[in-house]
Every structure is written in structure tokens, then in C-alpha cells.
Amino acid sequence: MKINKLFLALIFLACATASFGQWSNKTMSFGGTTRSYRLYVSPNYNASNPASIVMTLHGLGDNMTNFSNLGFAQIGDTANIIVICPQAVSDPLAGTAWNSGAGMMGYYPNSSVNDIGFLNALVDTTIAHYSVDQQRVYLCGFSMGGFMTYRMAIQSNGKFAAFASMSGTIGSGISTFNPARHVPIAHWHGTADSTVFFTNNTYGLDPDSVVALWVNNNACNPVPDTTRFTNAVLADSITVEMHRFSGILPTDEVRFYIMKGAGHEVLFQPSNDITEPMEIWMFFRQYRWLQAGIADAAGETATMQFFPNPAVDYISILSNGKGLLEVLDITGKRVLTGVITEASQVLDIRDLNSGMYFVKFSNGNSSTVQKLIVR
């Protein structure tokens, strides 16, 4: 990973003065092996104010110690973030690598390692030991860590509110794209990336193809709004523009940061016009995943009733527990969403036009869908 040297020097200075003692190296037993990770808890952590989690995944051949210098710890000191930096295990041929689906010529590093399970277990153990807002858990990664971020976003997104990939795409080993929900996504990529190519990527999909998949999945408008960052640092020969794709709900958003002239690197001020970790946090902090933390240990099948039907202004909902409620139009687009926290609740449908809709209730184990007529 290429990190600005001045930025690293500032990080090391900060660690030497105030923050160093807050990083801790930890291990946990998972899948019959001992897995390692680093954890950062701000000196300002207060159990009465539940913290967010940002999990960061290093690239191929990198390690948790180096990647923990990315900069999220310094953001966490004021933003109430617990930062987790896990360690990938070593592959016999590729070095430290995630089972991300990124591969070449039919070889996929660590293809038998259950990294999906490990990352989910790591979130669970952090929640068990600290006061955490379970609706504000986020995942990002660089290079192969970005590939792994996308694998989680596609195959195991239930614990995470939003995802960001830096210079990593969807690996060629991922054959099915079915995230089963709308997922807030931010993708960063340099047009001069000579490792994970901007076009003709040898390890998986090209960035524009990845973004197109998420835009379609989230039912976004395919025509984005474009923002160009001020090109104040001419010496880096890099300009950055952000393409923002919007959907019906704010949580449908997909962002594509095109770093023109950038290679396989993470950008930091003052050497560049932006600091990627800060931009990622500004993106993350907008989102909550409302279904996260809903108790599903009992394994009950979701059941729901509502009345009246047809309805005009309100419906009363009866469910067998907590869960996520969605109202979908006849095209499958979400028009209302909320969390069921009581056995009986009232839903305001006054903003819906007359017609047929579907009400979906999910409790983490299963879901049920029923037809609703609005007059």
C-alpha cells in the first residue's frame, strides 16, 4: 500500500504523544485457528455513548500493524469510533491474503479460509466487550481488502451499514451477485492503477462494471450528479471527481470516486487534494442499518398481520417480534421502511398514492410478504 510519508510521520507523532496506548494487539480463536487483529479505542470512549465500528482490511501481502496507520484512529478520537484492523492469514503462494474471490488463472488465495465468518465473529466479540451502536458498523478495505469488502457486501452484509472499497473490485471468483438488500457503497479507484487496472482488470470486474451492478441493485438513477474536487495540489498530477448515484431512499446511494492520474494508492492531504479515510468516514456516518442488532436467537419464523386492508391513512401492524418493515411498490422499489420494535405498531401511509403495494416484514431469520391496497 502506498501511503503519504508526511501523513505517516504525523500519525507516528500523534501515537508517540497521545494515542499509541489505545491500540492493542488481540487474538481470538476461530475455526480451529488463532486469528489476530488490532483494536483502537479512543481515550474519549464512554460506555454511556455507544461507539461506531469501522473495520479496515489490508491489501495482499500487507499486515494489520502497517494498515492500522491508515488514519481512522485519529478520526475516531473525535468521532467516537472503535477501529478494528484484522490480519489475513498467509497463503502458501500469495502471502497474507483474504479469501476475497480475487484470483488469476484459476488460483484464488486462501480459498478454504472462512474469512467471512471471522470478520462477522470479530464484530460480535467487539460488541460483546464494548458499548457499540450496532446500527453503525462499517467496513472498508484497500486493494485485496477492497475485494474482500465487496465479498462481504454481497454475501454477508447483515452486520454492516455501509461499505467502501479503495482500489479493489469484485473478484472473478464471485459468480453470483445477490446482496438481498440495498447497500450504501463508495468505490475509489485510480485511472493509472497498474495493479488493479481501471480497465481490463485481471483479478475481477472493472470499477465501472462494479459501480453499475450496485447502481442497479440499489435502484438508483443511472445518471449521476458529479462533483469535482478543487485541484489545489498541482504537483501530484491527480484530480478527483465523485459521481453520486441516488435512489428513492438516502440509503440507496452509490458513490464512484474517480482519481484521475492516481495509481494503486491511498490519497492524503497535504500531498493530495483529499484524504480518503476522512472522505470515507464522512460517507459512512450518514448511514444506519436499521435491521442490525435485531435479536434473532430464537429462530422464529416471521409472522405479521395488518389492518385495515384496503387502507387510507394508517395501518395497524401485529408481528411476532422485532424486525424490519418495508413497503414496496409493484416494481419492487421500497417506498417506506422502518423498524418494528413492539408487537403492535401503527404505520403512516398518507404519502402513498392509491394502488397496490407489498408489505414485507423480516426478523433476521425469515420474512413474510403480504399485499396492501391503498385507496
Side-chain angles (χ1 to χ4, degrees), residues 1-3 56-63 66-67 70 88 94 96-103 109 139-152 164-172 186-190 193-197 201-205 207 210 259 263-267 276 280:
M1 181 182 68
K2 184 176 179 181
I3 294 181
T56 63
L57 307 182
H58 65 73
L60 178 68
D62 202 0
N63 60 73
N66 180 57
F67 201 65
L70 187 64
T96 52
W98 302 104
N99 181 7
S100 65
L139 181 63
C140 66
F142 173 73
S143 193
M144 181 173 270
F147 281 93
M148 188 67 207
T149 295
Y150 276 136
R151 182 165 195 180
M152 293 294 292
S165 175
M166 299 172 281
S167 305
T169 71
I170 297 174
S172 57
H187 184 93
W188 300 74
H189 223 104
D193 193 327
S194 60
T195 302
V196 181
F197 299 151
N201 177 17
T202 54
Y203 304 109
L205 297 180
V210 170
M259 304 182 294
H264 197 63
E265 59 188 306
V266 179
L267 303 186
E276 277 184 60
I280 288 172

Side-chain angles (χ1 to χ4, degrees), residues 7 20 25 38 59 76 108 153 181 188 226 235 241 248 253 337 344 363:
F7 188 81
F20 182 76
N25 293 339
R38 298 198 85 200
Y108 299 95
R181 57 173 270 222
W188 300 74
T226 299
E241 60 184 36
I248 295 175
E253 183 177 7
T337 186
S344 177
N363 69 356

